[in-house]
Amino acid sequence: MQKEIDKAAVLIEALPYIQKFRNEIVVIKFGGSAMEDKELIKKTMRDIVFMECVGMKPVVVHGGGKAISARLKELDIPTNFINGLRYTCEKTIEVVDDVLHNVVNADLINAVKDAGGTGKSLSGKKFLKAEKVTTKCLETGKELDLGFVGNIIDVDTEGIKQALNKDILPVIPPLAIDNEGNTYNINADIAACQIAKALKARKLVFLSDVPGILRDQNDEESVISTITVDEVDDLIKRNIISGGMAPKIKSAEEALLAGTNKVHIIDGRIKHSLMLEIFTDRGIGTEIVKKR
Ligand code: ARG
């Protein structure tokens, strides 16, 4: 009997969060190795359908790095990275466009459907405006071309909100178009951040391959549960936060400054990490807040 009663406690613990986050926009960046695993994709999308069903307005922005790399390899298109960014030539952007829409996005939409929800691919090509970016050579400081790699300069929030108002779950691949109609590849962390800012999302959640921000890089158990922006800056200065985390942290700070209430970094490899973070008091990953 106690076991059954304990089950009710789980639901009761969720109640204040269901109440607080009702009708609030939550942008979820889905990336990392959780996306390589069909079962994890299904479970994650089911959690997101659950969030939607209890009144939140989730918006999914997804990556697709590994699937893209695999396709490029199949097609014998070499991949060059400059300062950690993929040089995106005309052939590459075509592949990125195809794989993101027709493979990765399609799988996510199907998983939403299997979970009883209604998802819709809102292509970044329709809803996001891009501007080309370059990077600086670390030695000479010279601008280096990255091909079709862009930043987001505008988000069609009305279009996204229309879907949300119809209880449709938007699933957005991180591509965008410039004024001349060229397609650009956008870093998915940055895309999620810009979308969260534009939509004035209450929350921004990064599902990735780390348990959260770690106090000790070599100890996966040393997750920092709650951290403020100032404390994060201090950890960066002291080199405690590693380079790979940088785009997420920068995006987190930007979103918080623009009015997002909390940014969460959680481990997408753990089943139901999203449910555990959103619907329990202690969560499972790191929450970044402006002030304590
Ligand atoms: N469920 C609550 C929220 O989403 C609390 C999360 C706490 N998470 C944490 N990593 N300390 O706001």
Side-chain angles (χ1 to χ4, degrees), residues 131-146:
E131 147 189 281
K132 184 178 167 72
V133 295
T134 52
T135 184
K136 278 206 167 80
C137 172
L138 296 179
E139 280 121 45
T140 63
K142 229 177 78 192
E143 294 286 327
L144 299 175
D145 184 37
L146 286 167

Side-chain angles (χ1 to χ4, degrees), residues 32-291:
S33 50
M35 290 196 77
E36 314 304 313
D37 177 334
K38 286 234 167 265
E39 270 317 296
L40 268 178
I41 291 184
K42 277 195 154 171
K43 291 203 162 77
T44 306
M45 296 319 281
R46 192 170 60 191
D47 288 359
I48 298 175
V49 167
F50 187 102
M51 289 165 68
E52 200 257 328
C53 260
V54 295
M56 294 176 202
K57 297 189 177 297
V59 174
V60 177
V61 181
H62 62 84
K66 291 214 177 103
I68 294 167
S69 304
R71 175 72 70 78
L72 288 172
K73 207 168 156 208
E74 257 172 52
L75 295 171
D76 252 343
I77 301 174
T79 305
N80 293 324
F81 284 94
I82 302 177
N83 289 349
L85 299 161
R86 186 199 298 273
Y87 178 85
T88 306
C89 67
E90 215 165 328
K91 261 201 224 152
T92 305
I93 192 72
E94 270 173 34
V95 172
V96 171
D97 189 335
D98 179 36
V99 173
L100 280 179
H101 282 103
N102 301 323
V103 181
V104 185
N105 193 279
D107 278 353
L108 299 184
I109 300 281
N110 276 335
V112 172
K113 197 164 158 223
D114 288 347
T118 311
K120 189 169 177 204
S121 170
L122 297 194
S123 174
K125 285 167 77 176
K126 241 178 113 185
F127 294 88
L128 309 173
K129 256 274 152 56
E131 147 189 281
K132 184 178 167 72
V133 295
T134 52
T135 184
K136 278 206 167 80
C137 172
L138 296 179
E139 280 121 45
T140 63
K142 229 177 78 192
E143 294 286 327
L144 299 175
D145 184 37
L146 286 167
F148 294 95
V149 175
N151 258 341
I152 293 179
I153 51 169
D154 192 39
V155 178
D156 172 6
T157 49
E158 273 323 297
I160 300 173
K161 281 185 185 157
Q162 264 173 29
L164 290 173
N165 290 338
K166 283 191 225 146
D167 293 335
I168 286 170
L169 176 63
V171 184
I172 307 180
L175 289 168
I177 294 274
D178 72 1
N179 287 330
E180 276 86 56
N182 299 306
T183 304
Y184 284 85
N185 194 7
I186 317 283
N187 170 299
D189 289 339
I190 296 172
C193 164
Q194 296 305 332
I195 293 169
K197 275 170 65 179
L199 289 171
K200 303 202 183 337
R202 166 111 185 199
K203 278 184 187 297
L204 169 61
V205 185
F206 291 107
L207 275 167
S208 67
D209 285 354
V210 283
I213 297 178
L214 304 177
R215 198 163 274 121
D216 170 0
Q217 287 311 307
N218 303 315
D219 179 6
E220 294 237 315
E221 308 270 289
S222 68
V223 178
I224 302 174
S225 181
T226 302
I227 193 164
T228 64
V229 175
D230 291 344
E231 289 162 355
V232 172
D233 285 342
D234 185 51
L235 291 185
I236 294 175
K237 273 192 209 121
R238 287 164 45 209
N239 270 334
I240 294 178
I241 290 181
S242 69
M245 237 5 183
K248 283 187 185 60
I249 302 286
K250 241 191 97 208
S251 297
E253 296 194 350
E254 233 189 284
L256 289 168
L257 274 176
T260 295
N261 197 261
K262 268 186 196 179
V263 178
H264 304 256
I265 299 180
I266 59 175
D267 196 339
R269 300 166 303 179
I270 297 176
K271 279 185 242 164
H272 307 302
S273 53
L274 204 43
M275 298 284 251
L276 294 168
E277 182 67 20
I278 304 291
F279 295 112
T280 68
D281 300 334
R282 293 180 53 193
I284 188 171
T286 298
E287 60 174 15
I288 311 177
V289 292
K290 261 168 280 183
K291 282 200 175 71

